[in-house]
C-alpha cells in the first residue's frame, strides 16, 4: 500500500520537491507500522534542506516508533532542521539517548543546515585534517 502511494506521490514530489502537503502525506503514511518502505518515505519527505518545521509533529511521532531503522531515519532528518528550535533540540536529545547504537549515532551527527538551507559542516583544524 505504501509502495503504491509512493508510485503516485513520488513523481510529483520529484517535480515539485518543496510541497509541504506531499511531504506531510509521506510522513503520515510512514506513521502506520504495518506499511512498507516507511524509512524511505521519511527519507524522501525530508530530503530538501532545510527540513520544514511543519513536519516536526510527524517526525516527533515517528521518533517514538518501535523500529530502530525508522528512528534512525528521523534522527538523520533532524540534521536538516535549522538549529535553535527547542522542540528539535529536545527531540535530538531523546534520540541521542536511544538504546540502539545506530539511532544514537545518527542523532549525534554534527551536520545541520543554516537558515539558507546550506549545510553547516563542523569546523576542522589542521590537527583534525587527515
Amino acid at each position: 500500500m505504501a509502495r503504491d502511494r509512493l508510485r503516485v506521490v513520488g513523481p510529483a514530489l520529484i517535480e515539485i520537491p518543496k510541497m509541504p502537503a506531499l511531504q506531510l502525506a509521506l510522513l503520515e503514511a510512514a506513521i502506520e507500522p504495518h506499511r512498507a518502505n516507511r524509512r524511505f518515505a521519511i527519507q524522501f519527505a525530508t530530503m530538501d534542506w532545510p527540513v520544514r518545521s511543519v513536519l516536526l509533529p510527524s517526525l516527533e511521532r515517528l521518533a517514538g516508533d518501535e523500529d530502530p531503522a525508522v528512528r534512525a531515519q528521523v534522527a538523520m532528518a533532524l540534521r536538516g532542521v535549522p538549529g535553535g528550535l527547542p522542540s528539535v533540540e529536545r527531540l535530538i536529545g531523546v534520540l541521542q539517548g536511544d538504546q540502539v547504537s545506530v539511532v544514537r549515532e545518527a542523532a549525534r551527527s554534527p551536520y545541520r543546515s543554516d537558515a539558507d538551507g546550506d549545510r553547516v559542516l563542523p569546523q576542522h583544524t589542521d590537527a583534525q585534517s587527515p
Side-chain angles (χ1 to χ4, degrees), residues 4 30 43 46 71 86 125:
D4 294 337
Q43 179 183 4
T46 59
R71 294 193 310 271
T125 63

Side-chain angles (χ1 to χ4, degrees), residues 23-24 26-33 38-39 41-43 45-46 55-75 77 91 95:
Q23 294 167 329
L24 278 171
L26 284 168
L27 291 180
E28 291 298 318
I31 288 173
E32 297 180 36
R38 296 168 62 220
R39 192 173 142 209
I42 297 165
Q43 179 183 4
T46 59
L55 302 178
L56 286 177
S58 297
L59 289 172
E60 284 181 311
R61 289 177 58 193
L62 287 162
D65 196 90
E66 290 181 11
D67 185 354
V70 168
R71 294 193 310 271
Q73 192 63 51
V74 169
L91 190 54
L95 292 169

